[in-house]
Amino acid sequence: MERPADRGHRCVPHTADVRIEAWAPSREACVAEAVTALVDTFTDTAGARPAAEREFRAPAGDDEDLLVSVLDEVIFRMETEGELPLSTEVTDDGAGGLLVRWRTTDTEAVELVGAVPKAVALHELRFGPEDGRWSCAVTLDV
């Protein structure tokens, strides 16, 4: 079986919800890839242009909590501010948390192509180092 690229994501079949997988060389890059996977499950961002830059600090926690915190923030901002990330940069904040920087666009600037996620499910959540890289699997409630 061919190993996927060093960095990427995919949507995998899952009953009634959406399940994403992401992988990258580092923890931070994997979180960024998971954000892209989340957005890709329900939008087509082709042609959308960045309208703003945003920053979010995920407080210190274990790796799975950090991942959920970032993904929950994307869903929250979509619902309350009407914006979605077009690009994501994640760095370690030096205090056990993450610093996330997004270039965002308005939700009206993207085409909906799938069910909009409402929350991150904690059931079957996986995030950690595997085979020399970081990977995660997340179920999104739709």
Side-chain angles (χ1 to χ4, degrees), residues 75 83 113 119:
I75 294 168
E83 63 184 23
V113 295

Side-chain angles (χ1 to χ4, degrees), residues 15-66:
T15 307
D17 292 313
V18 174
R19 187 143 173 98
I20 58 173
E21 295 178 350
W23 57 92
S26 69
R27 176 183 74 153
E28 295 77 16
C30 190
V31 171
E33 199 63 41
V35 169
T36 302
L38 182 154
V39 173
D40 284 355
T41 66
F42 69 100
T43 65
D44 178 357
T45 59
R49 301 283 178 246
E53 292 187 16
R54 302 287 186 237
E55 190 172 282
F56 171 68
R57 290 185 182 276
D62 68 28
D63 294 328
E64 288 180 345
D65 289 342
L66 290 170

